[in-house]
């Protein structure tokens, strides 16, 4: 392979980028690097001499409380995002778009691509980085991948087939986790898109750079010696391997357009290939900021330009997604679980180490010896079955020593500090929750404690979705649309996360569902809906089949529905018959009531005609008729008298009401109503 030398303009571009990178990196390392390294050691359980809480400590144990808190937070978010099944994001189309099938095509294509490239794994690693260091960064790299699949092919001979593989190329967008040690950003920026530029600085294998040169991805330039920098290693190791690797800087940001233009005079070529040979004083030239363009620059070993071009992305965005569990206003770097529980973790480690040091003093056997009465050259050891030689009585030469007893206060204090760490990080689980509640049997207190934890988890989940998940899916979709438009339709879509609740919130809601189902009973019309919600909220592998079965059971059976209609019709007929029967009985009672006066009159006539005097029947009948007529007249007069009394009472009431109305009217006429200067009503009496 023939290598070429860098031009003067390329040297200026390298100096422009390296100068800013060094200043940004110095600011980052001075403020965060040591803390990040300590957070990583506490998370991994690695002891270092600088982590001692006091110089007299001998124990080197690191308690797992912070590790548990970080893993609990990460598991809670992963359960909320990926615990809903196969789909963990959705796409919403424009309401005015009449073609809705393109949304389905893009959604299925993205899900298939994410599954092939194992995007969930990288998202999980980004979550881990965020919880440990406070900031998790994923860099989206567009790659060409070759899929190899087993296949058979007919050979032309009947019954024989050739067995082999088929290959196909595809575009892949792979999010790579970037450790904060390797990520550099403009200190003045609060977001990726607001920064003057961002850079990823890390060691890569030399063979990958050579392959990139052969494929045309990088310029064919000769690599200089690698720069040794232990701070850029991805993990803290005792010995770093230095062979076969190169320091690569990938810069994404603003660049003066003049530095990207090729020089017309090809004869002016710099002989040196390192940055030091073309000194760049770092002074800011105002003209360099007059015409800035978004670009991508790749530099090897702080001096060799491998690639420089304007941003090829159609959205002119930067290929990064950042997760910060808690955003600190006015600062790009976030705050994670390790930083929240740092103080309690240090106090807990100091308490546990003090307890272990105390146990070492009280449990190990120690002896006081009279050195003048021990045999010369004798090596004193205390162990079972050993004979000890002394010059004289052993009781006078040897004496066991005890430094008191180990107090259990250290262990109790350590348990208290561990609970305080869980409170600080918001990771108290359902097993340790009753210890923090005063009345453990009070369901109200437990519900209040759970609600606080659920609210914290929802807050973290919302931050994760808005700041990390949606931008990640959105930027990946843009790159698929640009570099593989045949399989990914180019449309303006809106991406939505399909998240559920964390496992703790889910368990709490399941208990509420079950309690409601027990209260309503199985015969309730909404029992099927509640059962469906319980199954959908679970983590069962076959919950889709169970939901479908519940929906089928909830649908009415046509035969059963027809029988119910017939039963309702029969019930309506019975009700109508009952009403008709009641109406008939009422008509009968009415007829009987009307017949009573007629019957009384008939009885009256019959009474007049009965028991007459045989000798003087006509005279006797006339007397009886006159007596009955007088009685009827007397009864009629009594009725008229009662009617007159009733009318008199009504008239008296009407007169009283009329008199009261007249008196009220007279009082009102004697009153004078006026308004004062403030608009208030004044009522005064007038002279009569």
């Amino acid at each position: 392979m023939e290598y070429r030398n860098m031009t003067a303009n390329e040297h200026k571009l390298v100096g422009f980028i390296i100068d800013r990178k060094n200043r940004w990196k110095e600011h980052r390392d001075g403020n965060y690097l040591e803390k990040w390294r300590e957070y990583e050691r506490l998370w991994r359980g690695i002891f270092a001499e600088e982590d001692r809480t006091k110089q007299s400590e001998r124990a080197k144990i690191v308690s797992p409380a912070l590790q548990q808190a970080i893993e609990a937070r990460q598991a809670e978010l992963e359960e909320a995002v990926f615990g809903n099944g196969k789909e963990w994001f959705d796409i919403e189309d424009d309401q005015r778009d009449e073609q809705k099938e393109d949304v389905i095509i893009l959604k299925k294509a993205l899900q298939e691509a994410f599954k092939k490239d194992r995007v969930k794994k990288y998202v999980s690693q980004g979550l881990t980085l965020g919880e440990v260091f406070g900031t998790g960064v994923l860099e989206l790299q567009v790659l060409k991948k070759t899929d190899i699949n087993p296949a058979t092919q007919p050979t032309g001979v009947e019954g024989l087939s050739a067995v082999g593989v088929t290959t196909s190329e595809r575009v892949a967008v792979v999010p790579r986790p970037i450790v904060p040690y390797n990520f550099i950003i403009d200190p003045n920026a609060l977001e990726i898109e607001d920064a003057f530029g961002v850079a990823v600085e890390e060691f890569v294998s030399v063979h990958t750079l050579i392959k990139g040169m052969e494929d045309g991805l990088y310029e064919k330039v000769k690599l200089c010696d690698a720069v040794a920098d232990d701070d850029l290693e991805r993990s803290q190791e005792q010995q770093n391997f230095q062979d076969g690797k190169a320091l690569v800087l990938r810069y994404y940001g603003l660049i003066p357009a003049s530095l990207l233009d090729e020089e017309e005079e090809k004869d002016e070529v710099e002989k040196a290939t390192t940055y030091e040979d073309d000194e760049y004083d770092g002074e800011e030239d105002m003209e360099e900021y007059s015409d800035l363009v978004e670009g991508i620059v790749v530099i090897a070993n702080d001096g060799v330009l491998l690639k420089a071009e304007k941003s090829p992305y159609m959205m002119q965005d930067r290929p990064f997604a950042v997760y910060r569990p808690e955003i600190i206003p006015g600062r790009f770097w976030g705050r994670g679980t390790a930083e929240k529980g740092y103080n309690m973790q240090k106090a807990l480690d100091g308490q546990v180490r003090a307890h272990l040091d105390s146990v070492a003093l009280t449990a190990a056997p120690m002896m006081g010896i009279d050195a003048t009465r021990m045999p010369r050259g004798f090596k004193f050891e205390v162990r079972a079955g050993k004979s000890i030689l002394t010059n004289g009585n052993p009781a006078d030469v040897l004496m066991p020593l005890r430094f008191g007893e180990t107090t259990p206060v250290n262990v109790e204090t350590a348990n208290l500090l561990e609970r305080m760490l869980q409170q600080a990080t918001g990771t108290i689980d359902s097993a340790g929750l009753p210890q923090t509640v005063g009345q453990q049997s009070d369901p109200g207190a437990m519900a209040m404690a759970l609600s606080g934890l659920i609210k914290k988890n929802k807050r973290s989940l919302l931050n994760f979705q808005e700041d990390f998940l949606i931008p990640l899916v959105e930027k990946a979709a843009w790159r698929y649309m640009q570099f593989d438009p045949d399989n990914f339709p180019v449309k303006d879509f809106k991406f939505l996360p399909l998240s559920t609740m964390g496992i703790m919130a889910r368990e709490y809601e399941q208990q509420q569902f079950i309690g409601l189902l027990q209260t309503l009973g199985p015969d309730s019309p909404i029992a099927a809906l509640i059962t469906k919600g319980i199954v959908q909220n679970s983590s069962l592998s076959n919950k889709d089949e169970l939901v479908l079965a519940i929906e089928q059971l909830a649908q009415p059976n046509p035969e059963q529905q027809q029988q119910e209609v017939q039963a309702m019709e029969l019930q309506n007929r019975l009700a109508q018959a009952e009403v008709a029967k009641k109406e008939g009985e009422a008509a009968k009672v009415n007829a009987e009531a009307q017949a009573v006066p007629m019957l009384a009159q008939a009885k009256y006539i019959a009474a007049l005609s009965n028991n007459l005097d045989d000798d003087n029947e006509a005279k006797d009948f006339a007397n009886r008729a006159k007596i009955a007529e007088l009685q009827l007249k007397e009864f009629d007069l009594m009725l008229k008298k009662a009617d007159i009394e009733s009318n008199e009472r009504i008239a008296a009431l009407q007169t009283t009401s009329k008199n009261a109305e007249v008196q009220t009217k007279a009082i009102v006429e004697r009153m004078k109503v006026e308004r004062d200067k403030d608009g208030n009503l004044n009522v005064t009496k007038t002279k009569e």
Side-chain angles (χ1 to χ4, degrees):
M1 185 188 306
E2 295 183 0
Y3 299 100
R4 71 171 184 85
N5 293 328
M6 293 170 52
T7 63
N9 215 27
E10 290 175 343
H11 274 284
K12 292 181 181 179
L13 178 59
V14 170
F16 181 85
I17 300 299
I18 295 298
D19 175 70
R20 279 152 184 79
K21 183 266 295 185
N22 290 335
R23 286 185 284 149
W24 297 349
K25 182 179 178 181
E26 182 180 358
H27 177 272
R28 183 205 66 184
D29 293 347
N31 289 281
Y32 307 106
L33 184 60
E34 292 302 323
K35 284 296 183 183
W36 286 345
R37 291 193 173 278
E38 188 171 5
Y39 295 157
E40 182 182 1
R41 290 194 297 269
L42 293 176
W43 167 54
R44 297 176 59 189
I46 299 175
F47 176 80
E49 294 296 330
E50 57 266 31
D51 293 340
R52 294 185 185 273
T53 57
K54 52 182 178 292
Q55 294 298 325
S56 60
E57 284 182 353
R58 298 183 61 190
K60 299 181 179 180
I61 188 172
V62 178
S63 63
L66 190 60
Q67 304 175 32
Q68 180 185 6
I70 292 173
E71 293 172 359
R73 294 284 293 181
Q74 181 181 356
E76 192 75 16
L77 284 177
E78 288 185 6
E79 174 66 23
V81 177
F82 303 124
N84 198 27
K86 299 179 181 179
E87 299 182 359
W88 48 278
F89 69 92
D90 198 3
I91 302 176
E92 187 177 273
D93 199 0
D94 189 357
Q95 297 294 334
R96 294 172 294 181
D97 189 3
E98 297 179 357
Q99 297 180 356
K100 302 296 183 181
E101 61 273 6
D102 52 0
V103 176
I104 302 176
I105 295 175
L106 179 61
K107 181 179 177 181
K108 296 296 182 183
L110 282 176
Q111 289 177 348
E112 183 179 355
F114 287 163
K115 186 175 181 180
K116 283 183 178 179
D117 298 325
R118 297 176 176 86
V119 173
K120 288 184 179 181
K121 176 183 68 174
Y122 299 119
V123 173
S124 176
Q125 294 178 15
L127 281 172
T128 302
L129 293 175
E131 297 298 337
V132 175
F133 300 103
T135 305
V137 181
L138 292 183
E139 180 186 8
L140 280 73
Q141 294 185 344
V142 182
L143 306 174
K144 282 188 177 180
K145 286 190 174 183
T146 301
D147 293 338
I148 303 177
N149 300 312
T152 58
Q153 186 176 357
T155 59
V157 180
E158 185 177 357
L160 294 178
S161 298
V163 178
V165 295
T166 59
T167 60
S168 60
E169 290 189 353
R170 64 180 179 89
V171 175
V173 180
V174 180
R176 290 186 63 253
I178 304 298
V179 182
Y181 307 147
N182 306 116
F183 186 74
I184 306 171
I185 187 172
D186 179 10
N188 298 321
L190 301 180
E191 299 293 340
I192 292 289
E193 304 300 331
D194 300 337
F196 184 87
V198 297
V200 176
E201 188 180 27
E202 61 184 0
F203 287 104
V204 299
S205 298
V206 175
H207 75 276
T208 60
L209 300 181
I210 301 300
K211 186 177 185 304
M213 294 179 187
E214 294 176 350
D215 296 340
L217 181 63
Y218 299 137
E219 295 289 341
K220 296 180 180 180
V221 293
K222 191 174 182 179
L223 298 176
C224 59
D225 295 334
V227 180
D229 191 347
D230 294 337
D231 293 338
L232 293 178
E233 297 296 338
R234 294 189 180 93
S235 61
Q236 301 184 44
E237 298 178 352
Q238 298 295 329
Q239 294 181 353
N240 295 322
F241 190 72
Q242 300 292 341
D243 298 338
K245 67 180 182 180
L247 179 62
V248 174
L249 175 72
R250 294 188 297 275
Y251 173 83
Y252 304 86
L254 300 176
I255 304 171
S258 60
L259 297 181
L260 287 177
D261 296 335
E262 295 183 359
E263 293 182 340
E264 297 180 358
E265 298 181 1
K266 299 297 182 181
D267 296 336
E268 296 183 3
V269 178
E270 295 291 332
K271 299 298 182 181
T273 58
T274 60
Y275 160 62
E276 288 78 9
D277 292 332
D278 184 63
E279 295 183 358
Y280 183 79
D281 55 6
E283 294 181 358
E284 297 180 352
D285 190 357
M286 298 304 295
E287 295 181 358
E288 294 178 348
Y289 295 94
S290 61
D291 186 15
L292 298 175
V293 295
E294 187 73 23
I296 299 176
V297 179
V298 181
I299 301 173
N301 296 333
D302 281 352
V304 179
L305 183 64
L306 298 177
K307 180 180 180 181
E309 63 178 0
K310 293 183 180 180
S311 177
Y313 304 120
M314 63 179 183
M315 302 300 293
Q316 293 296 301
D317 61 317
R318 292 164 182 172
F320 292 96
V322 180
Y323 167 58
R324 292 165 290 186
E326 186 172 331
I327 297 177
I328 300 177
R331 198 179 85 175
F332 169 78
W333 303 104
R335 180 170 177 253
T337 303
E339 185 175 349
K340 294 179 183 178
Y342 172 76
N343 290 326
M344 290 299 101
Q345 176 69 27
K346 296 291 287 185
L348 178 59
D349 287 343
Q351 202 70 28
V352 173
R353 291 170 190 168
H355 177 72
L356 294 179
D357 291 344
S358 175
V359 170
L361 292 175
T362 57
M366 289 176 284
M367 300 290 293
I369 306 173
D370 185 357
T372 62
R373 302 176 67 178
M374 293 293 295
R376 182 174 297 179
F378 180 77
K379 184 179 180 181
F380 182 81
E381 292 179 354
V382 178
R383 57 183 175 85
K386 181 177 176 61
S387 298
I388 301 174
L389 303 177
T390 61
N391 295 325
N393 187 3
D396 298 334
V397 179
L398 304 176
M399 181 180 68
L401 297 179
R402 294 183 61 85
F403 287 91
E405 296 181 356
T406 301
T407 174
V409 175
N410 288 331
V411 179
E412 297 174 0
T413 306
N415 293 332
L416 176 61
L417 292 173
E418 184 176 0
R419 289 199 298 270
M420 292 175 67
L421 185 144
Q422 293 176 344
Q423 291 175 353
T425 56
T427 55
I428 299 179
D429 55 4
S430 57
L433 186 63
Q435 299 178 2
T436 63
V437 181
Q439 297 180 358
Q440 301 181 14
S441 60
D442 186 5
M446 290 293 294
M448 292 177 63
L450 274 174
S451 64
L453 296 178
I454 293 171
K455 285 187 290 186
K456 288 183 179 180
N457 291 332
K458 285 186 176 181
R459 174 190 174 192
S460 300
L461 178 61
L462 179 62
N463 195 19
F464 170 78
Q465 293 173 351
E466 297 294 333
D467 198 37
F468 180 69
L469 186 61
I470 295 178
L472 175 66
V473 178
E474 198 171 42
K475 291 183 178 182
W478 289 343
R479 280 147 183 79
Y480 278 119
M481 292 178 190
Q482 179 179 358
F483 298 105
D484 192 7
D486 296 336
N487 298 320
F488 297 85
V490 182
K491 294 284 185 177
D492 183 15
F493 300 109
K494 182 179 180 181
F495 297 91
L496 303 173
L498 284 182
S499 61
T500 59
M501 295 174 294
I503 189 65
M504 186 177 297
R506 185 177 299 178
E507 291 177 357
Y508 182 61
E509 190 174 82
Q510 293 287 65
Q511 294 176 1
Q512 291 181 325
F513 271 141
I514 294 173
L516 181 60
L517 187 62
Q518 292 176 350
T519 303
L520 296 175
D523 298 332
S524 175
I526 63 173
L529 294 176
I530 297 176
T531 306
K532 179 180 176 182
I534 293 174
V535 175
Q536 287 179 337
N537 224 19
S538 66
S539 300
L540 299 174
S541 59
N542 60 339
K543 66 178 181 181
D544 295 335
E545 300 176 1
L546 293 175
V547 169
L548 182 61
I550 293 173
E551 291 177 350
Q552 292 177 354
L553 292 175
Q555 292 178 356
N557 190 358
E559 297 180 357
Q560 183 179 0
Q561 191 174 9
Q562 186 177 2
Q563 293 177 359
E564 292 178 356
V565 171
Q566 293 177 357
M568 291 180 63
E569 291 179 355
L570 179 61
Q571 187 175 1
N572 291 334
R573 291 178 182 177
L574 292 175
Q576 291 176 359
E578 187 69 20
V579 171
K581 180 180 178 182
K582 296 293 184 181
E583 291 179 350
E585 292 178 354
K588 180 179 179 182
V589 172
N590 190 15
E592 291 178 353
Q594 293 178 357
V596 169
M598 298 175 64
L599 181 60
Q601 187 176 3
K603 289 182 179 181
Y604 171 70
I605 296 173
L608 291 176
S609 60
N610 290 335
N611 301 323
L612 296 176
D613 188 3
D614 296 336
D615 298 333
N616 197 0
E617 293 182 355
K619 186 177 180 180
D620 192 8
F621 182 80
N623 292 332
R624 291 185 180 184
K626 186 178 291 186
I627 293 171
E629 185 178 356
L630 291 174
Q631 290 178 349
L632 291 174
K633 287 182 178 181
E634 184 179 0
F635 181 73
D636 191 16
L637 291 174
M638 292 175 61
L639 291 176
K640 289 181 178 180
K641 183 178 179 181
D643 191 15
I644 292 170
E645 292 178 353
S646 177
N647 291 333
E648 288 178 352
R649 287 195 299 270
I650 294 173
L653 291 174
Q654 291 177 351
T655 303
T656 303
S657 177
K658 187 174 182 180
N659 292 335
E661 183 178 355
V662 171
Q663 292 177 0
T664 303
K665 186 176 181 180
I667 293 172
V668 171
E669 289 177 352
R670 292 196 301 268
M671 305 287 289
K672 180 180 180 181
V673 180
E674 296 179 348
R675 288 185 179 272
D676 57 11
K677 61 181 180 179
D678 297 330
N680 299 322
L681 293 177
N682 293 327
V683 181
T684 57
K685 292 185 179 181
T686 59
K687 295 182 180 179
E688 296 182 357

